[in-house]
C-alpha cells in the first residue's frame, strides 16, 4: 500500500493484479529519497512525503504493510485524509485472476500433465476472492479509481495526468512474472459448473466492471 502526502493519493493493494509492479512504480512519489531504487522486498517507511507499506512474507508488527484492507488504511490515516486523497487500486477479470492465483499459490504442486484438474480441485472447496477488502468497506465500493489490469498502461497514464505526475507507463516493472504456464487459454481451466460458481462469487466485480468469461 502507498500514501503520497505530496501528491494526495492512496494506493490499496489487491491480489494477482500486477499490484506489486504498480506499487513499485508509484513508490517514488511517496518517499523523500534521492537514492531510491526499486526493490521487490522492503521495510515499511513513513515520512513527510508519504507512506510505503512493508513488502515481504510477514509484516510482523509493522503498522503499514502491503495488502492492508481499505478499512485498516482509512482508520489509521483518519477519515479526513482518506476522504481528501484520490484512492485507487488495480482490478482484473476474475476468471483470469483465479488462474493467476492458482499458479502462484500452488506453484510447487501443479502437476505438469494435468494443471486443469489441479485447478478445479483447488477451487472445489470454495472460490477464493483475494483482495476484495482492498476496495470495499462494509460491502460498499470505497475507492475513486479502478485501474484495469487489461488496460493497465493506458489507465496508469490517465491517472498520472489527473494527479499531475510525470509517469511513463512503459517503465512499469514486471515483477512476479514467469510463474504461470501460459500455454493454456483461460477458458480451458473451466467447466460450466465452475463458471457459474465464479460468477456468483464475483458478482459485484462482474457487474461493476462488465467482466465476462473469456471466449
Amino acid at each position: 500500500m502507498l500514501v503520497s502526502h505530496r501528491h494526495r493519493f492512496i494506493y490499496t493493494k489487491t491480489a494477482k493484479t500486477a499490484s506489486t509492479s504498480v506499487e513499485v512504480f508509484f513508490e517514488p512519489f511517496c518517499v523523500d529519497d534521492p537514492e531510491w531504487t526499486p526493490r521487490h522486498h522492503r521495510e515499511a517507511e513513513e515520512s513527510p512525503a508519504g507512506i510505503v507499506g512493508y513488502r515481504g512474507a510477514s509484516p510482523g508488527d509493522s503498522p503499514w504493510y502491503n495488502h492492508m484492507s481499505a478499512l485498516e488504511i482509512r482508520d489509521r490515516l483518519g477519515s479526513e485524509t482518506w476522504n481528501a486523497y484520490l484512492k485507487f487500486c488495480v482490478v482484473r477479470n476474475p476468471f483470469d485472476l483465479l488462474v493467476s492465483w492458482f499458479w502462484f499459490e500452488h506453484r510447487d504442486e501443479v502437476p505438469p500433465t494435468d494443471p486443469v484438474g489441479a485447478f478445479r480441485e483447488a477451487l472445489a472447496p470454495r472460490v477464493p476472492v483475494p483482495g476484495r477488502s482492498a476496495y470495499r468497506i462494509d460491502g460498499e465500493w470505497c475507492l475513486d479509481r479502478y485501474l484495469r489490469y487489461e488496460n493497465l498502461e493506458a489507465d496508469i497514464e490517465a491517472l498520472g495526468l489527473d494527479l499531475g505526475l510525470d509517469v511513463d507507463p512503459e517503465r512499469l516493472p514486471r515483477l512476479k512474472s514467469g510463474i504461470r504456464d501460459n500455454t493454456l487459454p483461460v477458458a480451458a481451466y473451466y467447466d460450466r459448473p465452475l463458471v457459474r460458481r465464479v460468477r456468483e462469487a464475483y458478482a459485484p466485480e462482474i457487474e461493476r466492471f462488465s467482466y465476462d468469461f473469456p471466449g
Side-chain angles (χ1 to χ4, degrees):
M1 55 76 61
L2 301 170
V3 176
S4 174
H5 295 310
R6 289 182 300 184
H7 303 285
R8 298 171 66 84
F9 71 73
I10 299 167
Y11 170 68
T12 69
K13 191 173 179 182
T14 50
K16 311 319 304 169
T17 58
S19 57
T20 301
S21 298
V22 174
E23 185 176 38
V24 171
F25 183 82
F26 281 99
E27 185 179 310
F29 302 107
C30 306
V31 296
D32 281 322
D33 184 1
E35 304 297 325
W36 180 89
T37 55
R39 288 172 286 168
H40 194 166
H41 300 284
R42 66 157 296 151
E43 296 298 320
E45 180 179 333
E46 189 169 1
S47 72
I51 302 167
V52 180
Y54 169 90
R55 282 196 300 272
S58 175
D61 296 329
S62 175
W64 305 102
Y65 57 94
N66 46 7
H67 289 289
M68 288 179 70
S69 70
L71 177 61
E72 289 177 291
I73 297 171
R74 184 196 69 183
D75 288 352
R76 288 185 181 160
L77 281 177
S79 294
E80 183 176 352
T81 300
W82 174 265
N83 293 330
Y85 286 16
L86 187 149
K87 301 168 288 294
F88 70 98
C89 74
V90 184
V91 295
R92 185 177 187 175
N93 185 311
F95 294 100
D96 186 31
L97 183 152
L98 285 169
V99 174
S100 181
W101 168 88
F102 163 74
W103 277 98
F104 184 78
E105 293 295 327
H106 299 270
R107 55 192 177 277
D108 298 325
E109 311 163 7
V110 181
T113 57
D114 189 21
V116 171
F119 173 79
R120 295 179 184 178
E121 182 179 353
L123 270 64
R126 66 178 184 86
V127 174
V129 188
R132 180 177 281 168
S133 65
Y135 51 80
R136 286 168 70 89
I137 296 177
D138 296 332
E140 300 294 329
W141 299 92
C142 62
L143 306 185
D144 304 303
R145 294 284 282 273
Y146 299 89
L147 312 185
R148 290 175 181 260
Y149 176 88
E150 301 80 13
N151 196 44
L152 191 52
E153 289 190 2
D155 285 358
I156 284 175
E157 185 173 19
L159 176 65
L161 288 172
D162 289 347
L163 288 170
L165 304 179
D166 182 15
V167 299
D168 179 3
E170 292 186 1
R171 300 185 67 180
L172 181 72
R174 306 293 177 182
L175 303 176
K176 298 184 181 178
S177 61
I179 296 174
R180 173 175 170 178
D181 182 351
N182 288 308
T183 57
L184 283 175
V186 170
Y189 286 86
Y190 293 87
D191 56 17
R192 289 186 177 182
L194 184 52
V195 169
R196 183 171 60 251
R197 292 174 58 219
V198 173
R199 289 190 189 279
E200 292 171 353
Y202 284 86
E205 290 80 7
I206 289 172
E207 178 181 5
R208 185 176 181 97
F209 303 111
S210 299
Y211 281 129
D212 204 350
F213 181 65

